[in-house]
Amino acid sequence: MELWFTEKQTKNYGITAKIKETLHTETTPYQELAMIDTIEWGKMLVLDGCVMTTDRDEFIYHEMISHIALSAHPNPKKVLVVGGGDGGVIREVLKHPSVEKAVLAEIDDRVIEVSKEYLPQIAVALGDSRAVVEVGDGIAHVKEHPGEYDVIIVDSTDPIGPAVGLFAKSFYESIYEGLKEDGIFVAQSESPFFNGELIHNVQADVRSLFPITKLYLASIPTYPSGLWSFTIGSKKYDPRVIADESRSASLVTKYYTKDLHRSAFTLPRFVEDLLS
Ligand code: AG3
């Protein structure tokens, strides 16, 4: 019998993948969690019916949410990742030799545990001596650590359920306070096709707080519409400019390159139009 998984990305549209095996399902205190093995994308972490990451295309998202902000910062030492319990962002952050401490603030420890079990190549760095895993509310963590971070990365789920607060202007205010005077913040900000209004609002909120606000894109096949956006707010450094060319050139990556860093900020007109 053929079994298929479908994420309904909108009310009227979805992506579907043939299942090799359902490895794990559970209801955590926060969400429905599933780990399925698919033929085309390998193992897939699914939260509340939404694809979070897959073996085959995870590198794109994890590299692009991490290396733009970290490469724009001349000396990132302390980094906070809010969400991202699978550990993929921590793995990329720790590729920067200047990073002394990378804190993961994830609310749902089941995401961490299930990822460690089934996605070891993504969760690999959670055991690194520079990684600190804190199970708890990322919003509270940011508020409790003013002026502490060089870079804050928000690796959230969609703006429904447990992640709603991670798209609120009050959270961006706390992030601004949580950063050092030259800090940079980046958040995943969904699909320009399906979430144009959200992108517009997030940009406007971040722009009202940070002197430099930009949007950049990456192609992520298993996410809604395949085109994904990231919103970046910076207190001092232009995020389009690579601070240390040799550090960025020596990163071992599969998607990110120095040229791609710069080109990711070149937007199609319909996306540029979302920003005004
Ligand atoms: N976080 C962003 C995933 C959003 C995807 N949305 C969807 N499939 N509807 C991914 C976490 C990876 N560390």
Side-chain angles (χ1 to χ4, degrees):
M1 183 176 57
E2 289 193 358
L3 291 175
W4 291 73
F5 162 76
T6 298
E7 173 184 340
K8 283 180 69 189
Q9 299 178 330
T10 75
K11 254 194 203 150
N12 310 300
Y13 182 77
I15 55 155
T16 188
K18 194 163 150 187
I19 296 175
K20 212 195 266 177
E21 193 184 348
T22 300
L23 299 166
H24 183 88
T25 56
E26 74 173 277
T27 304
T28 78
Y30 299 97
Q31 51 209 343
E32 303 273 346
L33 187 163
M35 187 69 68
I36 56 183
D37 197 4
T38 66
I39 292 167
E40 295 296 351
W41 298 102
K43 275 174 244 150
M44 205 176 235
L45 170 66
V46 179
L47 295 178
D48 285 338
C50 298
V51 178
M52 288 298 115
T53 201
T54 82
D55 274 336
R56 279 195 59 209
D57 72 346
E58 59 89 4
F59 65 97
I60 307 171
Y61 178 87
H62 291 130
E63 290 179 16
M64 288 302 281
I65 200 171
S66 307
H67 297 313
I68 301 276
L70 278 134
S71 294
H73 196 293
N75 190 23
K77 287 187 182 151
K78 255 191 114 171
V79 179
L80 172 67
V81 179
V82 177
D86 52 76
V89 180
I90 293 285
R91 181 194 65 200
E92 295 305 314
V93 165
L94 290 176
K95 288 181 180 173
H96 292 257
S98 62
V99 174
E100 293 165 358
K101 191 175 173 187
V103 179
L104 180 81
E106 163 66 55
I107 201 161
D108 193 343
D109 73 314
R110 293 304 300 152
V111 175
I112 301 172
E113 293 312 318
V114 172
S115 300
K116 278 188 191 160
E117 184 171 349
Y118 293 103
L119 303 170
Q121 78 294 355
I122 299 179
V124 56
L126 292 176
D128 190 287
S129 59
R130 294 174 294 159
V132 177
V133 176
E134 281 195 12
V135 176
D137 180 10
I139 300 176
H141 179 97
V142 173
K143 283 191 187 146
E144 286 155 17
H145 296 266
E148 209 169 300
Y149 290 103
D150 297 300
V151 176
I152 297 179
I153 300 173
V154 182
D155 179 11
S156 70
T157 54
D158 293 349
I160 33 168
V164 174
L166 302 182
F167 289 85
K169 188 173 174 190
S170 57
F171 180 51
Y172 304 139
E173 283 164 3
S174 305
I175 285 179
Y176 187 92
E177 297 303 327
L179 289 167
K180 291 183 192 155
E181 65 292 337
D182 60 348
I184 307 181
F185 136 79
V186 60
Q188 75 88 357
S189 48
E190 307 279 311
S191 157
F193 282 102
F194 295 146
N195 312 93
E197 201 183 322
L198 175 96
I199 292 173
H200 175 88
N201 294 338
V202 168
Q203 280 279 312
D205 288 347
V206 175
R207 205 182 300 124
S208 73
L209 299 163
F210 286 80
I212 308 165
T213 302
K214 300 280 175 217
L215 190 86
Y216 64 91
L217 299 175
S219 301
I220 305 176
T222 61
Y223 284 1
S225 85
L227 184 65
W228 209 247
S229 78
F230 301 86
T231 294
I232 192 160
S234 177
K235 288 190 177 180
K236 182 170 173 190
Y237 309 113
D238 184 336
R240 296 169 297 187
V241 178
I242 295 168
D244 177 346
E245 295 264 343
S246 76
R247 165 162 53 99
S248 296
S250 38
L251 292 167
V252 179
T253 56
K254 285 198 278 183
Y255 192 87
Y256 177 89
T257 67
K258 289 193 298 163
D259 284 340
L260 196 115
H261 181 131
R262 294 178 270 256
S263 68
F265 291 90
T266 304
L267 303 176
R269 192 180 303 280
F270 83 99
V271 180
E272 219 167 54
D273 288 346
L274 296 174
L275 308 186
S276 55

